[in-house]
Amino acid sequence: MTIFNEIRRIIAEAVGSVFEQLDAGAFVVELPKEKGHGDISSNIAMVLSKQAKLAPREIALQLKPLLEKHDFISSIDIAGPGFINFNFKDSVWQKEVLEILRQGLSYGDSDMGKGRKINVEFVSANPTGPMHVGHGRGAVVGDALASLLVKAGYDVCREYYINDAGAQVDVLARSAYHRYLEKCGKDVGDVPEGLYPGEYLIPVAEKIFKEYGDKWVGMEESSWLEFFKGRTIKEMLKMIKEDLSVLGVRHDIFSSEKKLVEDGEVDRAEKVLAEKGLIYEGVLEAPKGQKSEDWEEREQTLFRSTEYGDDVDRPLRKSDGSWTYFASDIAYHFNKFRRGYPLMIDVWGADHGGYVKRMQSAVAAITQGEGRLEVKLCQMINLLKDGKPYKMSKRAGNFITLRDVIDEIGAGVVRFIMLTRKSDAQLDFDLVKVLEQTKDNPVFYVQYAHARCCSVLRHAKEMFSEEEISDAELSKLPHDIMAKIQTPHELDLIKGLTNWSKVVESAAAAMEPHRIAFYLVEIAGLFHSLWNSGNSDAKLRFIVPEDKPLTLARLALIKAVMIVLQSGLSIVGCKPVEELRSTTFDA
């Protein structure tokens, strides 16, 4: 149990004793932003004020005697309108450091999810070519969010939805056929407008030619289209999976839209909606801003999405009677719900923002309110190189491939930078600046903190045996670390490490994995400040040769820093480094 959970427990216990009829509900227990406001602060008095019909300060004063009786609390102050500020005895923070060492990378694990199942669907790029850098942001956000939710105690399924049905797949097949004719020696000219111009289809055409020769030359499209669709999609998915693997992204399941339709899942979804009276034949009004002469009124099969908060009802079939993308997406999400995922999280590009409300309406309708869809939108990335726009990829034809970026700067750097802003905010990604070894580069700033920890421990092993560092002297940590070596920097760092569990839970609750990257930068800053204080005062260095117990206590703190940094970097998907060559970096 963390100190935050312990304070929450004793507050709830005190409230139950003083105000039996009141529900404590959701109250905050957190590290205060101002140093003078205690070690931990709570707003419980403000939360109870309306129910109790008392001023918050009066509530706080009634709770104070019950809270002060706990021996690990040195004092309690009532501040402002009624905040309860707790001051702890030194042993509290000492025990937290020991707890980090005891739990290792499990420190910060939460049971808030209680094993509930969540489906996180991300990337889901049309299999029409290599992944571009925009797909990479969704891949990183989705994968990091899934890892964060696992850390918070959820049972997470990572899913990729293959859009292998529809017009774009026909275009892909025709594009591959054009390259095939080139390989067969036919003079077909440049790639026609409307087809995919990238060179990535040339190897696909070469494989088909090697296996079948000129078998498909001169045939009607109806003879070769299905073959080229199936074969090209297979090759594109292989390419996409390779790109994802290099980025360190994995999926538990790949679901096919084509199979979904063939298995009758769309028909099933339509039947369910019809049984609920949520489908009708009608005519939609012309879209806003569209000239009336361009609008053709026609009867369509419509879903009553306005009954669930959408702006207008939505069509389920096209004019030719085939399903709309919306109908397939309803069926897909209903399929996920029936597979046991009442909570679904989709990570989409920001250009799909207008699609969110209708899909949430559909999920609520078809699951009778038992299912819930959350959508995380990822804004565009402005890819730069030394401040200038990065050139397009010839291989892709008209966009920058994710693989090109990974090959240039590394997967770990790509992943960390993708999480340095909220996903719904645009991101400037400069391929030169993200490799600079300065404190303004968050990747380097965090990695250098970890490398410095490794450096201290390597040096310590020259002075102490492995047994002394790892086991025997750790028992002195609760006795020495605060009594003999306390400095403001050390206490701030220990408190920051202790806050890891709360960061995990708050980030998971908000579904915002970028908070983990922010936290890592914060911890790195606290550590670098402590390191720099040792440059000006030898007594504040981590290794003090003449004081062995003191040194071993500080080495324990170093290990705790490493554990928390490694834990956070594992969620980000960035491998911690043990050594960096820079000697000029100064935090």
Side-chain angles (χ1 to χ4, degrees):
M1 177 179 287
T2 68
I3 185 59
F4 298 99
N5 291 335
E6 178 65 9
I7 292 298
R8 180 174 292 278
R9 184 190 68 78
I10 68 171
I11 287 176
E13 184 181 86
V15 170
S17 296
V18 179
F19 305 102
E20 294 182 11
Q21 75 282 13
L22 300 186
D23 178 14
F27 60 93
V28 173
V29 174
E30 63 185 359
L31 295 177
K33 294 179 181 178
E34 300 292 332
K35 284 188 178 182
H37 293 173
D39 291 324
I40 279 182
S41 182
S42 178
N43 68 341
I44 181 63
M46 278 80 83
V47 171
L48 294 177
S49 180
K50 187 174 181 180
Q51 293 183 66
K53 297 180 180 179
L54 292 172
R57 286 190 66 87
E58 177 59 29
I59 294 173
L61 288 170
Q62 291 191 46
L63 294 176
K64 184 179 177 182
L66 291 177
L67 299 173
E68 285 179 325
K69 72 178 185 179
H70 296 277
D71 59 7
F72 65 90
I73 296 174
S74 60
S75 66
I76 291 178
D77 300 319
I78 311 301
F83 286 101
I84 301 177
N85 296 334
F86 296 81
N87 296 287
F88 300 140
K89 293 179 180 178
D90 293 345
S91 59
V92 168
W93 305 114
Q94 299 158 17
K95 288 178 182 177
E96 287 296 327
V97 174
L98 287 176
E99 195 62 22
I100 296 172
L101 298 175
R102 185 185 69 81
Q103 294 187 32
L105 294 179
S106 297
Y107 184 76
D109 286 2
S110 170
D111 64 353
M112 68 176 283
K114 301 188 183 303
R116 291 190 293 267
K117 298 180 73 172
I118 293 184
N119 182 288
V120 182
E121 183 222 321
F122 58 106
V123 186
S124 299
N126 291 339
T128 54
M131 293 182 63
H132 58 64
V133 70
H135 294 140
R137 191 175 193 186
V140 170
V141 169
D143 194 55
L145 176 57
S147 296
L148 171 62
L149 292 171
V150 169
K151 182 82 172 173
Y154 290 91
D155 180 1
V156 180
C157 174
R158 293 166 159 93
E159 187 155 342
Y160 186 120
Y161 184 48
I162 308 168
N163 298 115
D164 52 359
Q168 86 280 353
V169 179
D170 291 343
V171 173
L172 176 67
R174 295 185 185 108
S175 304
Y177 185 73
H178 180 88
R179 295 297 190 182
Y180 167 74
L181 293 178
E182 287 180 340
K183 187 62 183 174
C184 291
K186 300 300 180 182
D187 184 10
V188 290
D190 295 334
V191 177
E193 182 145 356
L195 299 187
Y196 297 110
E199 296 179 357
Y200 57 87
L201 288 173
I202 295 176
V204 179
E206 290 175 343
K207 287 183 179 180
I208 294 174
F209 176 74
K210 184 176 180 180
E211 292 181 39
Y212 296 93
D214 61 0
K215 172 183 177 179
W216 307 102
V217 175
M219 287 190 175
E220 294 292 328
E221 182 179 285
S222 58
S223 300
W224 55 259
L225 186 63
E226 286 303 314
F227 170 81
F228 271 78
K229 280 200 292 188
R231 183 58 181 271
T232 311
I233 288 172
K234 179 181 178 181
E235 295 296 333
M236 292 301 98
L237 276 175
K238 181 180 177 182
M239 182 188 303
I240 288 171
K241 289 179 180 179
E242 288 175 353
D243 289 347
L244 290 172
S245 178
V246 172
L247 187 59
V249 172
R250 69 173 182 86
H251 289 85
D252 299 308
I253 183 172
F254 285 77
S255 295
S256 162
E257 179 186 2
K258 183 172 181 289
K259 187 175 187 303
L260 189 85
V261 175
E262 291 173 348
D263 289 350
E265 292 290 322
V266 187
D267 296 290
R268 179 200 295 265
E270 183 189 42
K271 181 179 178 181
V272 171
L273 292 174
E275 289 172 351
K276 300 178 187 298
L278 295 172
I279 291 179
Y280 68 100
E281 299 297 319
V283 178
L284 291 176
E285 295 181 5
K288 293 180 181 179
Q290 187 165 342
K291 295 181 180 179
S292 58
E293 58 266 25
D294 295 333
W295 176 249
E296 177 185 353
E297 289 191 2
R298 59 183 176 82
E299 196 170 73
Q300 296 175 279
T301 302
L302 302 174
F303 162 58
R304 299 182 188 276
S305 55
T306 51
E307 293 189 11
Y308 291 85
D310 198 2
D311 300 324
V312 296
D313 291 341
R314 304 292 179 176
L316 296 181
R317 291 185 182 271
K318 302 175 186 177
S319 56
D320 62 2
S322 63
W323 298 112
T324 61
Y325 283 119
F326 182 50
S328 296
D329 285 342
I330 293 175
Y332 171 53
H333 286 82
F334 188 43
N335 176 270
K336 287 196 281 190
F337 175 77
R338 290 189 297 106
R339 280 190 273 133
Y341 298 101
L343 177 55
M344 297 160 261
I345 303 172
D346 290 359
V347 181
W348 297 347
D351 56 332
H352 289 80
Y355 201 61
V356 174
K357 188 179 289 186
R358 76 186 69 173
M359 275 311 307
Q360 289 177 328
S361 299
V363 169
I366 202 163
T367 66
Q368 294 185 299
E370 294 181 18
R372 180 164 64 96
L373 172 65
E374 294 288 340
V375 178
K376 303 300 293 184
L377 296 177
C378 293
Q379 270 289 357
M380 293 175 56
I381 293 175
N382 298 318
L383 200 60
L384 309 171
K385 196 164 188 178
D386 207 13
K388 298 177 182 178
Y390 193 51
K391 292 182 179 180
M392 298 298 181
S393 168
K394 181 180 179 183
R395 185 170 75 96
N398 60 355
F399 59 82
I400 304 160
T401 68
L402 175 63
R403 188 63 173 269
D404 288 342
V405 176
I406 294 173
D407 289 345
E408 186 152 347
I409 64 174
V413 175
V414 170
R415 292 187 63 121
F416 200 106
I417 293 298
M418 292 289 190
L419 295 172
T420 53
R421 295 204 71 187
K422 290 184 66 173
S423 63
D424 60 0
Q426 285 199 5
L427 175 66
D428 288 338
F429 196 140
D430 194 307
L431 297 178
V432 173
K433 293 188 180 300
V434 298
L435 294 179
E436 291 178 351
Q437 295 191 348
T438 71
K439 65 180 180 180
D440 296 322
N441 177 2
V443 189
F444 177 75
Y445 197 63
V446 172
Q447 290 284 28
Y448 199 40
H450 186 270
R452 276 179 157 174
C453 289
C454 293
S455 175
V456 172
L457 290 177
R458 281 196 300 268
H459 186 49
K461 287 179 181 180
E462 298 174 2
M463 306 172 61
F464 308 108
S465 69
E466 185 71 34
E467 184 179 3
E468 287 177 311
I469 296 174
S470 300
D471 298 315
E473 294 298 329
L474 288 181
S475 63
K476 294 182 176 292
L477 180 62
H479 176 72
D480 289 328
I481 192 166
M482 301 300 291
K484 294 185 178 180
I485 66 173
Q486 179 174 330
T487 71
H489 288 312
E490 271 181 347
L491 185 55
D492 291 344
L493 179 56
I494 294 170
K495 288 181 179 180
L497 297 175
T498 302
N499 204 34
W500 174 227
S501 58
K502 280 194 65 66
V503 171
V504 168
E505 291 188 349
S506 62
M511 300 181 187
E512 294 184 339
H514 71 274
R515 296 190 187 192
I516 304 302
F518 288 7
Y519 171 79
L520 291 173
V521 172
E522 177 187 345
I523 292 299
L526 292 170
F527 173 78
H528 288 309
S529 295
L530 186 56
W531 177 286
N532 288 338
S533 66
N535 291 334
S536 57
D537 185 347
K539 292 180 180 180
L540 298 178
R541 292 175 182 170
F542 292 108
I543 296 178
V544 183
E546 63 273 18
D547 193 335
K548 182 176 178 180
L550 173 61
T551 297
L552 290 173
R554 289 178 173 173
L555 293 178
L557 180 55
I558 286 281
K559 283 189 171 185
V561 172
M562 288 181 63
I563 288 169
V564 172
L565 288 177
Q566 289 170 8
S567 182
L569 286 169
S570 70
I571 292 175
V572 171
C574 188
K575 184 178 179 181
V577 300
E578 295 186 1
E579 189 172 4
L580 287 170
R581 295 184 178 181
S582 171
T583 57
T584 60
F585 175 73
D586 182 21

